[in-house]
Amino acid sequence: MTDMTDEEAEALDEYFTRNLPKIDPSNKGGVTTRSGFRMVALDRVSEDYLLTMALATRKSPTEIISELIRKQIADKSA
């Protein structure tokens, strides 16, 4: 996982300041923004595990989640 530069952090802050997420009550998995990007809420244990693995492996949380899902799919189809 690479660290965000100050410029990237400022750009992200600016984007979400101008484009507040809108809540979609039909989406029970998280928050949906106007652009269709979905965020999913995690419980504390899942969040801690994900962040610990991200630091230990130097991968992004998205990469870790993708790997876990692909492993689950492979295990079920084997």
Side-chain angles (χ1 to χ4, degrees):
M1 181 170 77
T2 59
D3 291 334
M4 192 180 300
T5 65
D6 288 340
E7 292 79 19
E8 290 169 329
E10 288 173 14
L12 194 59
D13 178 58
E14 181 73 21
Y15 173 80
F16 281 110
T17 298
R18 293 180 184 215
N19 301 287
L20 294 175
K22 79 176 174 183
I23 296 174
D24 180 1
S26 67
N27 177 12
K28 295 182 182 178
V31 176
T32 304
T33 65
R34 290 183 193 102
S35 65
F37 173 76
R38 289 184 48 203
M39 295 187 295
V40 177
L42 299 173
D43 60 58
R44 186 64 179 196
V45 172
S46 299
E47 179 187 8
D48 288 346
Y49 174 82
L50 186 58
L51 294 176
T52 301
M53 289 302 294
L55 290 170
T57 62
R58 301 194 52 81
K59 294 180 181 176
S60 72
T62 301
E63 290 171 313
I64 294 167
I65 291 170
S66 294
E67 288 174 3
L68 290 169
I69 291 170
R70 282 175 173 64
K71 183 178 182 329
Q72 282 288 107
I73 292 169
D75 290 346
K76 291 197 185 299
S77 63

